[in-house]
Amino acid sequence: MILAAGETPVYLGPIVALLVTAGLIGALFVRLKVVPIVGFLLAGVLIGPHQLGVVADESQVEAAAEIGVMLLLFTIGVEFSVERLARIKRFVLGGGTLQVLLTTAVVTALCTVFGVDWRVGVFTGFLVALSSTAIVLKVIAAKGATQQPVGQASVGALILQDLAIIVMVLLIPILGGQSEGAWGIVRALGTAALVLTAVIVIARKVMPPLLERVARLCSPEIFLLSIVAIALGVAYLTSLAGVSDALGAFLAGMVLSESRHSAHALSEIMPLQMIFSAVFFVSIGMLLDVAVLAQLWWMVLLAALAVVVVKVVTAYAAVSVLRVGAPTAVGAAFLLAQIGEFSFVLQQVGAEYGLSPAGMGADGDQLLVAVTVVLMTATPALGALGEHLAKRVGGRPAPAADRSAPVTGDTRDRVLVSGWGQVARHLSSYLRSNDVPVTVTTLNPDLAAQAEAEGHTVVRGEVTKTSVLHEIDMDRVKLIVVAENTAEEATHIAHILGGVAPGVPIVVRPVDTPDVPGLYEAHADRVVDTQRAVTEPLGHTVLDLLGIGRTGVKRPDPTVMSLFTPDPASSCVHTENLQPVLPKSPGCTECLRQGRRDWVHLRLCAHCGFVGCCDDSPGRHATAHAEGVGHPVVTSVEPGEDWAWCYLDSVRIEPARG
């Protein structure tokens, strides 16, 4: 009664409106093949306090957005390990540094030309120098260019921009005229350096054994909770020392990327990160006042055009210095031509010291929001334009810094085994003895260590998570085996992997009674029922599909599901609601139990999968099963025969055609 009489929480309506609007508009933009972040921005513009006013109190959204920023940077840190950064260090230290310095210098010069104080000009340059890490990474990933030179150059510049935020935040008090001078700068930078060093050292010493202990629990819920606690905890500690909390989360991700549980961590936190990052971009859109945009539209267009020109020119110059070729420099320059989400973080810090974009006060803040939203929305188009111009420039693009030997022919050469138990272990050894490489996925650290000790490739995490599948490299998987899961789990895995890797055969061996109808709908190719099958070990089934070893003809195959679909014109009512069945044996089930093989013809019970011999055989086990169990319909499993027979109606039933 208390719950029934309670009032609706004030925050619930705005949050529901925010998520529903973001989801609908985001889905629309996905259908239009546009980065969904653009839809989130427009959703924020629509429901914000300046337009429809569905969300009037921005404080709650801003709090969620701040968490979204930290989780966003945390996942970016996990994806970009120290080793990976080392491979593209020239793009980070060279191209990224030069891009930030050039952009800041050019914007400062332009501001002073129009009579703006140089300190405000530098602050404005900071705002313009940053690009959108989230959007550019999405665009690069969609194009499949992450490992290409243009992707590496863009990522290198983005990472340096994220790191440069530390220095920018420390310099803002000086630009605002509230600082202790040079000594204050040195002390602040020294403090930041010590804090960052301490965080990295402590995290690298503490985090691996901590995650190992948590992972041993094999609980995705506890693992997710621990990951979020690490990300936000490190962010909180760095903020106490005056360093950006978002950067602290980024560093936590970087440290975690060195752990062997990084793929598992990324798979668990990615759905949560997507929710909060959507809230973050919606909150950015909510800052835009369309009325001001309509009033200052000409200034917004001029400013947006100026930003694109400045950032394209400076980014092109910065990347060109690295001698990667004009096409790469052009492509990267246009990808970096927008203003980033973290410019709003700097803008809020600057407001505390009386700084505003171009010294325009509140109008400058709105101008920054408008230009940022416009350019973020235009980023996919700018990226496409840059790609087009890069092709027009001519010349061969420079090779990737970390290119590997070219792969030719069919790259699918390995078996993916989900789970690691006794069956998976013996199967994997069986496959290795036949020169078939195996990739194993498991949540349990001890089992993962066992699989690694036996020489198999191991990916820690749930096989259904996107980041784990990316780590597996599904393009190399020739066959999937789900060997150590319950029937419900196995069906779920088969559904997901069937969609991720269409055409790749899936063999399922559940630890309990298989869900045959569910596996049939999931398009599993073979099902090994260890509780019912008379023969046919799992290893022979897998090698049969791989085309290795003996490939004898089985009649029927106890791993292949069967569903009889009768002709609609059939008058037999006993064929209604037939479900897929799994043959219990490769011959007459009862004859095999008796050690006999003198049957003549075989029939498959369409209700339970029992295989029996026909009335021409001595045992007449098909008829005996139908009369004893009450399953009237059987199908012929003889070569070239596809009809069924109903014992109750004494009628032959033809299958549906076409």
Side-chain angles (χ1 to χ4, degrees):
M1 293 298 294
I2 294 175
L3 291 176
E7 296 182 359
T8 302
V10 177
Y11 61 84
L12 186 59
I15 289 179
V16 171
L18 186 152
L19 294 177
V20 170
T21 307
L24 292 176
I25 297 182
L28 174 62
F29 275 71
V30 170
R31 291 288 298 272
L32 297 175
K33 296 183 178 180
V34 179
V35 180
I37 291 175
V38 175
F40 299 152
L41 289 169
L42 296 182
V45 174
L46 180 64
I47 67 176
H50 303 295
Q51 279 66 246
L52 296 181
V54 176
V55 181
D57 184 6
E58 299 181 26
S59 59
Q60 296 171 346
V61 177
E62 290 174 357
E66 290 180 4
I67 298 177
V69 171
M70 288 184 280
L71 293 180
L72 179 64
L73 263 292
F74 176 76
T75 54
I76 292 173
V78 174
E79 291 178 310
F80 293 98
S81 64
V82 175
E83 179 184 355
R84 183 176 178 185
L85 291 179
R87 293 199 302 264
I88 60 172
K89 60 183 178 182
R90 68 189 186 112
F91 292 110
V92 178
L93 300 178
T97 302
L98 192 56
Q99 182 269 328
V100 171
L101 293 177
L102 285 177
T103 304
T104 302
V106 171
V107 173
T108 302
L110 290 175
C111 288
T112 54
V113 168
F114 288 96
V116 178
D117 183 82
W118 70 270
R119 297 177 183 82
V120 176
V122 172
F123 172 69
T124 307
F126 288 168
L127 299 177
V128 176
L130 301 179
S131 302
S132 175
T133 301
I135 291 183
V136 174
L137 287 180
K138 291 288 186 182
V139 172
I140 293 175
K143 293 177 178 292
T146 303
Q147 299 300 325
Q148 297 178 7
V150 64
Q152 293 182 331
S154 302
V155 169
L158 291 169
I159 292 174
L160 192 282
Q161 291 174 10
D162 293 338
L163 296 175
I165 295 175
I166 305 174
V167 180
M168 293 177 179
V169 170
L170 294 174
L171 290 176
I172 284 179
I174 300 173
L175 298 176
Q178 302 179 32
S179 172
E180 301 177 10
W183 171 244
I185 299 176
V186 173
R187 186 173 63 179
L189 290 175
T191 302
L194 289 175
V195 170
L196 297 181
T197 302
V199 167
I200 292 176
V201 171
I202 294 175
R204 298 195 76 165
K205 294 292 184 181
V206 175
M207 196 175 298
L210 174 63
L211 285 178
E212 192 74 19
R213 288 179 178 274
V214 174
R216 290 179 190 277
L217 300 175
C218 294
S219 171
E221 295 82 5
I222 300 300
F223 192 85
L224 173 60
L225 182 61
S226 301
I227 293 300
V228 174
I230 290 172
L232 300 186
V234 174
Y236 176 69
L237 291 177
T238 55
S239 67
L240 291 178
V243 181
S244 168
D245 51 9
L247 182 66
F250 176 79
L251 292 174
M254 288 276 290
V255 174
L256 182 61
S257 68
E258 303 302 309
S259 167
R260 56 186 181 179
H261 296 287
S262 58
H264 184 192
L266 192 61
S267 68
E268 294 296 338
I269 202 172
M270 188 59 72
L272 189 63
Q273 179 266 331
M274 284 300 298
I275 295 175
F276 280 105
S277 62
V279 174
F280 171 68
F281 285 103
V282 170
S283 68
I284 291 178
M286 289 169 57
L287 298 175
L288 181 62
D289 188 345
V290 175
V292 175
L293 177 62
Q295 183 180 357
L296 301 176
W297 65 269
W298 58 274
M299 188 177 295
V300 172
L301 293 180
L302 286 177
L305 180 61
V307 169
V308 171
V309 171
V310 169
K311 299 203 70 172
V312 167
V313 171
T314 55
Y316 177 82
V319 177
S320 296
V321 172
L322 304 177
R323 298 180 180 179
V324 293
T328 297
V330 170
F334 275 89
L335 282 172
L336 299 171
Q338 74 291 127
I339 296 177
E341 53 271 7
F342 297 110
S343 294
F344 294 103
V345 177
L346 291 180
Q347 183 268 334
Q348 293 173 0
V349 176
E352 298 176 3
Y353 295 94
L355 297 173
S356 63
M360 297 176 61
D363 287 344
D365 293 336
Q366 276 299 312
L367 184 63
L368 173 68
V369 173
V371 172
T372 301
V373 172
V374 169
L375 292 183
M376 281 184 171
T377 305
T379 296
L382 289 171
L385 176 61
E387 186 178 6
H388 175 72
L389 293 177
K391 295 178 181 178
R392 297 289 297 271
V393 168
R396 292 184 178 180
D402 61 340
R403 70 181 187 276
S404 57
V407 179
T408 57
D410 187 6
T411 61
R412 298 188 182 275
D413 61 350
R414 62 180 50 247
V415 172
L416 171 61
V417 178
S418 172
W420 187 257
Q422 288 300 319
V423 173
R425 182 176 183 177
H426 292 308
L427 170 65
S428 299
S429 298
Y430 191 72
L431 291 171
R432 285 201 68 189
S433 66
N434 285 272
D435 298 323
V436 179
V438 175
T439 295
V440 178
T441 64
T442 179
L443 286 170
N444 190 299
D446 294 330
L447 297 181
Q450 290 179 12
E452 286 178 333
E454 296 188 14
H456 304 299
T457 301
V458 178
V459 178
R460 290 166 169 79
E462 291 188 58
V463 72
T464 56
K465 298 298 179 65
T466 303
S467 57
V468 173
L469 292 172
H470 178 74
E471 190 80 9
I472 291 170
D473 190 3
M474 293 299 294
D475 290 337
R476 296 190 59 190
V477 175
K478 189 174 184 178
L479 180 69
I480 299 169
V481 179
V482 184
E484 302 289 349
N485 298 89
T486 65
E488 182 179 359
E489 294 169 343
T491 303
H492 176 64
I493 293 172
H495 267 290
I496 293 179
L497 296 186
V500 172
V504 176
I506 300 177
V507 178
V508 177
R509 175 263 178 194
V511 296
D512 52 3
T513 303
D515 175 13
V516 177
L519 291 171
Y520 187 86
E521 293 180 2
H523 303 292
D525 294 84
R526 302 288 178 92
V527 179
V528 177
D529 185 352
T530 56
Q531 295 184 354
R532 299 191 317 173
V534 176
T535 184
E536 298 301 321
L538 179 61
H540 286 251
T541 299
V542 174
L543 291 181
D544 179 30
L545 280 174
L546 292 173
I548 301 173
R550 62 187 184 89
T551 55
V553 177
K554 297 173 285 294
R555 204 181 59 198
D557 189 331
T559 68
V560 178
M561 294 172 287
S562 174
L563 173 64
F564 180 76
T565 305
D567 188 330
S570 171
S571 59
C572 179
V573 297
H574 302 105
T575 57
E576 296 179 358
N577 302 320
L578 289 179
Q579 296 288 327
V581 296
L582 194 64
K584 291 187 176 182
S585 57
C588 177
T589 304
E590 190 60 35
C591 286
L592 287 172
R593 285 174 179 162
Q594 298 173 7
R596 299 171 52 183
R597 289 182 174 270
D598 57 348
W599 61 75
V600 179
H601 297 116
L602 295 177
R603 305 291 182 250
L604 174 67
C605 176
H607 303 275
C608 70
F610 177 89
V611 181
C613 50
C614 75
D615 288 351
D616 292 333
S617 299
R620 304 181 61 178
H621 291 124
T623 300
H625 173 76
E627 294 175 348
V629 181
H631 292 172
V633 180
V634 296
T635 61
S636 174
V637 291
E638 295 299 315
E641 297 182 355
D642 56 4
W643 48 267
W645 176 265
C646 179
Y647 284 98
L648 290 179
D649 294 340
S650 298
V651 62
R652 172 168 164 159
I653 309 167
E654 298 297 328
R657 305 294 182 183

